[in-house]
């Protein structure tokens, strides 16, 4: 270590200090941004695989940063999880999203609103009770809400997951298993929990219809899910070849740039009305 010399170490120190400062600034800004309402819900359409009709939306968080512009979740969700701020973000996004999307459901423009929750949120024993309470304060019917959870969470504490999932399911809230096909896929969890939907991960979809082995794998995963009575959403569908394969393999719903990118609420609303008029 000594052989590296003092100069190199001081450069390293300076870099480390700069990185630390950057993080601290971002942390302070994030703490300010939440109550300031800078974290907003964007919406990506979920379409019916058969007709391509928009049947729902997934809510995706964006940070409208005053200087840096629009930031995606990759820039702030991991840090918010580390700092214990993710719950407040998810609550804020959920409330704002419900306020915008409840009228779309009431008017029959869409049927489903899908929200992401962090595995962190779900470790709170009061999570499902609080969510049900918050939901009751909105105009969104419980049966129109889907909560997207990941396997990471199921593996962390199965007893607690079960309690939350069953409590939500009893109210009519749908549960979707997100990022399905990454990690160690939990067919067991699907059998034992009231999960209605799996979302096939984008990493699998990208090679579907092109790579025969991936297509086979995805096909058999879909087969297994269907055998358990679970509906299948493919995410990250970017081209016709993928959509063609997925449709033929019996996918129920699709989501991806082929149909639409995530967009702000006003744009989403305009698009839904346009589609209705068409
Ligand atoms: P996710 O739940 O798997 O969301 C799908 C991601 O794929 C979104 O990225 C979406 O914009 C992107 N995507 C959709 N279609 C396509 C496509 O055709 N091609 C490509 N290349 N990408 C596509 P986004 O919005 O950056 O979100 C990233 C992740 O951040 C989400 O992954 C989710 O895990 C997390 N996230 C987003 N919003 C929230 C939130 O409000 N709370 C929590 N806890 N996590 C969130
Ligand atoms: Ca998701
Ligand atoms: Ca996903
Ligand atoms: Ca994800």
């Amino acid at each position: 270590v000594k052989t590296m010399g003092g100069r190199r170490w001081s450069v390293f120190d300076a870099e480390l200090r700069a990185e630390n400062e950057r993080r601290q600034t971002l942390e302070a800004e994030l703490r300010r941004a939440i109550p300031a309402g800078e974290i907003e819900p964007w919406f990506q359409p979920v379409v019916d695989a058969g007709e391509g009709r928009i049947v729902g939306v997934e809510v995706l968080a964006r940070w409208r940063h005053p200087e840096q512009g629009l930031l995606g979740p990759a820039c702030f969700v991991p840090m918010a999880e580390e700092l214990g701020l993710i719950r407040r973000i998810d609550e804020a996004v959920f409330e704002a999203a419900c306020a915008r999307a409840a009228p779309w459901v009431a008017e029959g423009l869409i049927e489903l609103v899908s929200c992401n929750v962090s595995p962190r949120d779900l470790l709170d024993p009061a999570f499902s009770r609080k969510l049900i309470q918050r939901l009751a304060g909105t105009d969104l019917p419980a049966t129109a809400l889907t909560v997207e959870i990941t396997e990471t969470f199921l593996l962390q504490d199965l007893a607690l997951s079960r309690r939350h999932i069953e409590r939500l399911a009893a109210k009519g809230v749908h549960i979707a298993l997100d990022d399905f096909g990454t990690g160690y896929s939990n067919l067991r969890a699907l059998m034992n929990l009231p999960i209605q939907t799996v979302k096939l991960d984008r990493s699998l979809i990208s090679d579907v219809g092109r790579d025969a082995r991936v297509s086979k794998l995805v096909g058999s995963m879909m087969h297994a899910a269907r055998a358990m009575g679970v509906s299948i959403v493919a995410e990250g569908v970017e081209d016709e070849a993928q959509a063609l394969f997925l449709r033929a393999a019996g996918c129920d719903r699709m989501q991806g740039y082929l149909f639409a990118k995530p967009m702000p609420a006003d744009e989403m609303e305009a698009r839904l009305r346009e589609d209705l008029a068409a």
Side-chain angles (χ1 to χ4, degrees), residues 1-275:
V1 179
K2 273 244 164 73
T3 54
M4 293 188 77
R7 232 174 87 81
R8 261 199 88 155
W9 278 112
S10 60
V11 170
F12 181 67
D13 268 357
E15 272 170 14
L16 204 65
R17 225 175 301 127
E19 168 63 19
N20 256 332
E21 258 164 47
R22 204 187 54 81
R23 282 186 59 90
Q24 272 170 17
T25 314
L26 201 61
E27 174 179 347
E29 284 179 337
L30 189 57
R31 287 188 193 281
R32 178 195 48 75
I34 302 167
E38 287 173 18
I39 315 283
E40 57 183 62
W42 279 39
F43 299 87
Q44 184 179 35
V46 178
V47 308
D48 175 90
E51 305 156 33
R53 190 173 55 94
I54 300 178
V55 291
V57 291
E58 177 176 3
V59 178
L60 295 159
R62 296 290 182 268
W63 180 0
R64 203 174 283 281
H65 191 284
E67 285 119 40
Q68 293 179 54
L70 198 71
L71 301 178
C75 301
F76 62 90
V77 165
M79 193 181 60
E81 284 177 332
E82 248 174 69
L83 296 170
L85 294 171
I86 192 65
R87 208 195 62 211
R88 287 168 55 206
I89 289 181
D90 285 349
E91 287 172 2
V93 169
F94 176 78
E95 267 175 18
C98 287
R100 288 308 304 258
W104 306 341
V105 173
E107 288 173 48
L109 297 172
I110 52 167
E111 291 148 32
L112 296 163
V113 179
S114 219
C115 284
N116 291 287
V117 297
S118 162
R120 273 291 180 99
D121 297 337
L122 291 146
L123 288 175
D124 173 2
F127 165 78
S128 43
R129 202 172 35 74
K130 285 195 271 190
L131 185 73
I132 289 163
Q133 214 169 51
R134 219 168 308 111
L135 180 62
T138 75
D139 293 323
L140 190 75
T143 49
L145 176 68
T146 299
V147 172
E148 299 194 2
I149 62 173
T150 58
E151 287 175 293
T152 329
F153 158 66
L154 288 180
L155 296 174
Q156 257 165 353
D157 187 339
L158 195 61
L160 185 59
S161 337
R162 172 179 299 280
R163 190 140 40 91
H164 286 319
I165 291 169
E166 286 177 347
R167 224 186 251 154
L168 291 169
K171 290 287 172 192
V173 174
H174 287 239
I175 309 292
L177 197 56
D178 204 351
D179 302 342
F180 190 67
T182 63
Y184 194 77
S185 272
N186 234 313
L187 291 173
R188 234 199 126 64
L190 284 181
M191 257 187 304
N192 295 321
L193 293 168
I195 289 170
Q196 293 90 348
T197 302
V198 295
K199 298 194 75 173
L200 284 171
D201 194 65
R202 174 155 57 90
S203 60
L204 285 169
I205 303 306
S206 59
D207 286 329
V208 114
R210 256 185 295 273
D211 181 319
R213 295 207 312 173
V214 175
S215 299
K216 256 196 188 139
L217 176 70
V218 170
S220 64
M221 286 175 66
M222 289 172 66
H223 186 79
R226 243 197 337 272
M228 284 179 251
V230 172
S231 75
I232 301 147
V233 181
E235 64 174 23
V237 180
E238 292 184 347
D239 60 48
E240 280 298 343
Q242 296 161 353
L244 211 64
F245 172 87
L246 291 163
R247 225 173 270 130
C251 181
D252 298 284
R253 277 162 280 151
M254 294 192 251
Q255 202 182 328
Y257 295 173
L258 176 63
F259 311 101
K261 290 191 172 176
M263 59 188 99
D266 287 343
E267 212 175 296
M268 187 71 245
E269 186 166 317
R271 168 105 187 224
L272 290 173
R273 295 199 188 289
E274 241 168 62
D275 280 15

